[in-house]
Amino acid sequence: MDNGKNTETAVKIKVCGIVQGVGFRPLVYRAAREMGIKGWVRNVGGDVEIVAQASKTAVDRFLSDLKENNERRYEILNMEMEELPVCILDDFVIIPSGEAKEVTMIPPDLPVCPDCLKELDDDSDRRSGNPFISCMSCGPRYTIIEDMPYDRDNTAMKDFPMCSVCKKEYTSPQSRRFHAQTISCNDCGPYLLYRDNRKPEAEEFTDREALKKAIKVLAAGGIVAVKGIGGYHLACSPFLEQSAVRLRQCKGREEKPFAVMFHSLTEIKKYCNVSMEEEALLKSKAKPVVLLHMKEDLMAPSTNKKSVYCGAFLPYTPLQHLLTAELGPLIMTSANVSGQPIIREDDCMLSLSDPFIDGVLYNKRRIVRSVDDSVAKIVAGSPQLIRRSRGYVPYPVFLNKENAGETDVFAAGGDLKAAFCLCRKERAVVSQYFGDLEECVVMEEYKKSYKDLTRLLNITPGLAVCDLHPNYHSARFARSLLLPIIKVQHHHAHIASVMAEHGLKGPVIGVAFDGTGYGTDGSIWGGEFLICEGKEFVRAAHLSPFPILGGDQSMRDGKKTAICYLHHAGLDSYFPDERKHIITAALDQRINTVFTSSMGRLFDAAASVLHIANENRYEGECAILLEREAELAKREHIKPPSLPFLITEEDDVLKLDPKPFFEASVRYMDSEKTGALALSFHHAAAEGIAEICDRLRSRYHISEVALSGGVFQNTVLTERTITLLRERGFRVYINRLVPPGDGGLSLGQIYLGREHLKAVNT
């Protein structure tokens, strides 16, 4: 008896997720042909649309196999099905892409796959040594897409007509390059080029000669600008001090450590300790720079600048594999002057008159949009992003569906580590990292990217969300859009970013620690304990405020901050400095003085008082060096002295007062190792957080804690805080999908904007 399983049926399936640029259509095609299914598959917007007609048994098996995703090449987030009338179909085909009002997903850039690497190293293969080798599973995506859907004619690859052999592979279902949009070979290009900056009038080197010339220059200690997926890198040896020093002079980068690219995981393990979680992160599709603890610093002093971390990463392009295979580890840092956007235009790189750059290794494939390398590390057993860019962008963060609404939302983010966010329904797309919007060229890049991404996603925002700070460039841009606008407090947005990631509705105790954020009272906040629920928050506790000179401009001078804090605490007689009398007189007369509850500035003060660092030559340097000393003390199993912060209460608001720590430090520092006191400071801060959360739980009956803000990029503090809170029975959440610093701020703003819309619509 026929139970309907053999009856022919027809369905239309809309597949949402990471399904473009990953070989999904060819995979669907092959599976359908094998199962005798007729119909077609095509790209529509950022989705894939399938029409499948066969027996119900065959269609069910076909859909089941797609959902199982045995090859782990794609990621299905949702499948919508609609029954169709059965009609006459001859076969299963891939048809031209269709248009869609909504673009739900844009594929991120993918690293070169193992199959392509085998061909790269195979002398008998027609793509042997090809620095642009790719297939349907790998290669640039986001950085070459001009329009959606993701088809060759909508990418920078349209500039390179396929040769007859590539065309055959592109149209052959048996080929790994069946409908691979980045298909290329040694015959049809792109091609490598090398410009010798020492002999600009000389003829350019091409193809393999270009690669050989670049390798020769790098091996001799030179600096070469190398074109990558999202922009140019500056490359040189990490072992030659003279090369590293010249690179610092080239970038105007005094102290910040350089990232180092290693050819293999085995090579990384020679220099760094690598946990199982760190190994997985290094090998992940995003291929981020991963901050690893070094076993022993065997590199040139100017490479890592005494950091306990090595920013290590693996090659993600065929060209990088070829270079590191010949040369071993290479510094690979963004080709830019510190603070400026990464250079992506060939004309800009080639016309740059820089005495430190020996040559340029490039090609004629256009980079449509600049994307820097992502940076991450493992914190409490899971990845934490420090910079979210290549490999992650433009993959969306998925929010709760229940209050998705129909209004598209734009969130401007902050001014430091700037990144904006666009949200349609439950999908929030955080842009790539831009840098500091104080720089005019960075601000222009930010504006251009807003236009670019709204066009690419086909989003028209109906609401803008920005920071409360009246002078933020990002807020001014949001206002210029002439949309309904919501201003949200900086630290509230930090906590909301954690709530957005983890689907928390609240109430939660939010601990937001950073350097600077404009408070609702007009002062500078930065050490905040907030009770957050929906679009509202209560400032339930904070770091005891202290005066600083210069407001936002005080961030660089850690020693000045230390003098300000010690004078406020009545301890300045223990800390000599030639500027002390001028600074304290200004404080006493309230000249250019503001009060702050900033934990970031307190870290600066502690670093200076402990004679670890007096100046932030790059953002967060004092705090990073303070953490370094604490980490080294941990490694030596030094037991830190117990110097807990004091907790007071005023008008029902708890205050965390660090005076006992500083009082002990300035008096007894000579009898204690610097590292022990640095570790003591971290422990005191973590214990203060746990104690205040305990008291707030008793008052508000909340057991969920969200930690966010740039200070929680400090691993020693974060892991200690999580441990203490969990020991007290709290459920603790931190940022994982976006950075805890200002790079994740826009996601929190999106969360609060949606909550505002929800409140308006109910």
Side-chain angles (χ1 to χ4, degrees):
M1 186 176 75
D2 186 359
N3 58 7
K5 290 186 178 179
N6 294 316
T7 303
E8 189 140 298
T9 185
V11 292
K12 182 191 282 186
I13 309 128
K14 181 182 177 184
V15 187
C16 306
I18 300 296
V19 289
Q20 289 194 23
V22 289
F24 184 67
R25 285 180 303 165
L27 188 145
V28 168
Y29 173 91
R30 281 193 287 269
R33 297 286 284 250
E34 285 172 11
M35 296 181 193
I37 290 171
K38 297 173 183 178
W40 45 261
V41 61
R42 66 174 179 170
N43 284 336
V44 180
D47 301 326
V48 167
E49 190 174 78
I50 304 166
V51 166
Q53 182 172 301
S55 69
K56 188 174 186 308
T57 301
V59 171
D60 287 347
R61 186 179 152 215
F62 170 69
L63 294 176
S64 176
D65 285 356
L66 287 182
K67 289 175 184 175
E68 280 184 15
N69 187 12
N70 292 325
E71 296 189 28
R72 301 293 171 199
R73 185 182 295 151
Y74 54 88
E75 186 173 343
I76 293 176
L77 301 168
N78 187 40
M79 290 177 76
E80 298 173 7
M81 274 176 281
E82 171 191 347
E83 286 194 18
L84 297 176
V86 174
C87 59
I88 298 172
L89 294 171
D90 294 327
D91 214 332
F92 195 91
V93 294
I94 296 176
I95 66 171
S97 300
E99 294 183 4
K101 290 182 179 178
E102 291 189 11
V103 175
T104 57
M105 203 79 68
I106 302 170
D109 299 306
L110 297 171
V112 60
C113 70
D115 288 332
C116 283
L117 286 178
K118 285 179 187 174
E119 293 177 347
L120 185 72
D121 295 332
D122 184 354
D123 292 338
S124 65
D125 193 273
R126 63 183 291 264
R127 291 186 175 83
S128 173
N130 184 279
F132 307 99
I133 191 170
S134 68
C135 68
M136 63 184 182
S137 300
C138 65
R141 301 294 193 260
Y142 179 57
T143 50
I144 62 168
I145 291 172
E146 294 181 322
D147 212 341
M148 292 295 286
Y150 174 65
D151 291 327
R152 190 179 181 92
D153 287 345
N154 287 334
T155 74
M157 287 303 296
K158 69 183 179 185
D159 299 341
F160 303 93
M162 284 183 270
C163 67
S164 59
V165 183
C166 282
K167 273 185 183 176
K168 187 175 179 181
E169 290 178 298
Y170 183 80
T171 55
S172 171
Q174 287 72 43
S175 170
R176 234 177 60 247
R177 294 181 172 86
F178 182 43
H179 279 264
Q181 310 306 334
T182 54
I183 188 172
S184 64
C185 72
N186 293 318
D187 293 328
C188 54
Y191 309 103
L192 270 187
L193 299 163
Y194 182 83
R195 169 78 60 85
D196 188 340
N197 282 4
R198 299 291 169 246
K199 300 175 183 176
E201 70 287 347
E203 187 178 347
E204 286 187 325
F205 295 86
T206 59
D207 292 343
R208 300 197 182 209
E209 288 304 311
L211 181 63
K212 286 179 184 176
K213 178 63 177 175
I215 288 171
K216 185 177 179 181
V217 171
L218 287 166
I223 296 172
V224 175
V226 180
K227 189 174 182 179
I229 284 179
Y232 277 87
H233 285 103
L234 295 177
C236 74
S237 170
F239 302 107
L240 301 175
E241 175 66 4
Q242 186 179 0
S243 299
V245 169
R246 286 176 65 230
L247 184 57
R248 290 196 176 278
Q249 292 171 319
C250 173
K251 282 181 65 79
R253 181 168 171 168
E254 297 176 65
E255 295 296 322
K256 195 173 183 181
F258 287 128
V260 179
M261 181 175 283
F262 296 82
H263 183 63
S264 66
L265 188 63
T266 302
E267 194 173 53
I268 291 178
K269 288 180 178 179
K270 291 178 184 176
Y271 299 90
C272 304
N273 295 311
V274 183
S275 68
M276 187 170 62
E277 295 83 5
E278 287 165 339
E279 180 172 333
L281 186 55
L282 285 162
K283 292 162 66 177
S284 67
K285 282 185 180 179
K287 288 285 193 297
V289 176
V290 180
L291 303 184
L292 302 172
H293 288 293
M294 282 184 286
K295 292 177 179 176
E296 183 181 356
D297 193 351
L298 301 174
M299 298 181 188
S302 291
T303 297
N304 284 309
K305 285 288 186 176
K306 298 182 180 179
S307 173
V308 292
Y309 292 111
C310 174
F313 62 141
L314 291 167
Y316 52 87
T317 72
L319 177 57
Q320 292 166 355
H321 275 274
L322 293 169
L323 289 170
T324 55
E326 285 289 329
L327 295 161
L330 286 171
I331 292 174
M332 281 279 191
T333 187
S334 303
N336 65 334
V337 176
S338 287
Q340 303 288 307
I342 185 171
I343 296 171
R344 66 177 170 89
E345 300 284 357
D346 298 335
D347 290 346
C348 180
M349 192 73 246
L350 293 169
S351 64
L352 190 65
S353 179
D354 193 310
F356 300 109
I357 300 175
D358 296 290
V360 182
L361 185 63
Y362 72 110
N363 63 82
K364 294 293 180 70
R365 184 173 67 195
R366 290 175 293 114
I367 299 173
V368 176
R369 56 190 58 81
S370 305
V371 178
D372 241 316
D373 290 316
S374 295
V375 182
K377 62 179 174 177
I378 296 296
V379 175
S382 296
Q384 180 192 67
L385 289 172
I386 307 301
R387 183 165 73 202
R388 187 180 192 271
S389 216
R390 179 194 48 77
Y392 296 98
V393 174
Y395 190 76
V397 176
F398 290 89
L399 310 177
N400 278 335
K401 288 185 178 181
E402 60 188 50
N403 61 329
E406 295 300 319
T407 304
D408 295 343
V409 184
F410 164 70
D415 276 16
L416 290 175
K417 302 186 188 307
F420 61 78
C421 187
L422 293 165
C423 184
R424 169 175 284 157
K425 296 180 179 175
E426 75 276 11
R427 293 177 173 89
V429 176
V430 180
S431 74
Q432 63 266 39
Y433 158 91
F434 296 104
D436 184 356
L437 298 186
E438 279 282 345
E439 300 285 348
C440 292
V441 285
V442 178
M443 188 69 225
E444 286 307 308
E445 188 74 16
Y446 174 97
K447 290 177 181 177
K448 277 191 237 173
S449 293
Y450 169 79
K451 291 180 183 176
D452 173 47
L453 204 52
T454 51
R455 177 191 60 81
L456 209 56
L457 289 166
N458 199 16
I459 278 181
T460 305
L463 175 70
V465 190
C466 68
D467 196 270
L468 193 63
H469 198 299
N471 297 321
Y472 267 15
H473 296 277
S474 53
R476 287 175 188 160
F477 175 73
R479 292 195 294 270
S480 75
L481 299 176
L482 303 178
L483 296 169
I485 194 164
I486 298 169
K487 299 174 186 178
V488 300
Q489 201 279 323
H490 189 89
H491 302 96
H492 189 199
H494 272 310
I495 301 307
S497 72
V498 181
M499 297 174 75
E501 275 196 43
H502 295 278
L504 303 177
K505 298 177 182 178
V508 302
I509 299 170
V511 185
F513 284 2
D514 63 4
T516 301
Y518 191 77
T520 55
D521 59 0
S523 69
I524 299 174
W525 292 6
E528 311 307 311
F529 295 79
L530 311 177
I531 306 301
C532 301
E533 183 173 16
K535 65 184 180 65
E536 306 297 337
F537 79 93
V538 174
R539 191 188 192 200
H542 55 81
L543 187 71
S544 292
F546 61 95
I548 55 173
L549 298 182
D552 286 356
Q553 304 306 314
S554 66
M555 292 186 290
R556 189 175 175 95
D557 194 339
K559 195 166 191 179
K560 183 171 74 173
T561 302
I563 295 167
C564 290
Y565 177 78
L566 293 175
H567 182 66
H568 175 71
L571 301 170
D572 50 328
S573 60
Y574 296 93
F575 194 68
D577 184 86
E578 66 274 7
R579 301 176 300 166
K580 185 165 67 175
H581 295 302
I582 297 172
I583 292 169
T584 55
L587 290 171
D588 292 340
Q589 296 299 317
R590 299 290 178 93
I591 298 170
N592 196 25
T593 302
V594 293
F595 273 79
T596 182
S597 58
S598 168
M599 182 59 79
R601 298 289 76 80
L602 196 70
F603 266 78
D604 292 347
S608 184
V609 167
L610 298 181
H611 305 304
I612 292 169
N614 290 318
E615 183 184 5
N616 286 311
R617 289 166 291 188
Y618 60 89
E619 189 189 356
E621 183 182 4
C622 288
I624 288 167
L625 294 177
L626 184 68
E627 182 191 8
R628 175 185 184 274
E629 293 300 319
E631 175 60 36
L632 292 174
K634 270 182 67 182
R635 290 187 192 181
E636 294 172 17
H637 304 290
I638 292 173
K639 186 176 180 181
S642 179
L643 302 173
F645 292 179
L646 183 66
I647 297 174
T648 60
E649 186 171 350
E650 184 180 339
D651 298 328
D652 293 327
V653 176
L654 299 173
K655 293 184 181 179
L656 186 62
D657 187 350
K659 182 176 178 179
F661 170 83
F662 283 94
E663 194 168 28
S665 295
V666 294
R667 287 179 177 170
Y668 305 118
M669 194 184 145
D670 291 340
S671 62
E672 292 285 352
K673 287 186 177 179
T674 298
L677 289 170
L679 187 56
S680 176
F681 179 81
H682 285 77
H683 282 201
E687 288 156 10
I689 293 168
E691 179 60 28
I692 284 186
C693 286
D694 226 358
R695 297 193 191 189
L696 294 178
R697 175 169 55 186
S698 298
R699 183 176 297 177
Y700 293 97
H701 310 291
I702 302 169
S703 293
E704 291 185 322
V705 177
L707 309 176
S708 191
V711 169
F712 286 109
Q713 290 176 178
N714 181 314
T715 304
V716 175
L717 175 68
T718 303
E719 291 188 336
R720 179 69 176 168
T721 301
I722 290 172
T723 298
L724 293 176
L725 286 169
R726 285 177 177 167
E727 285 175 355
R728 295 180 184 226
F730 286 98
R731 294 183 295 280
V732 188
Y733 303 89
I734 66 173
N735 292 107
R736 297 294 188 189
L737 302 178
V738 297
D742 284 6
L745 204 63
S746 62
L747 180 65
Q749 293 171 346
I750 286 287
Y751 178 96
L752 295 172
R754 281 163 44 104
E755 288 293 327
H756 172 84
L757 290 171
K758 178 183 172 184
V760 168
N761 294 329
T762 54

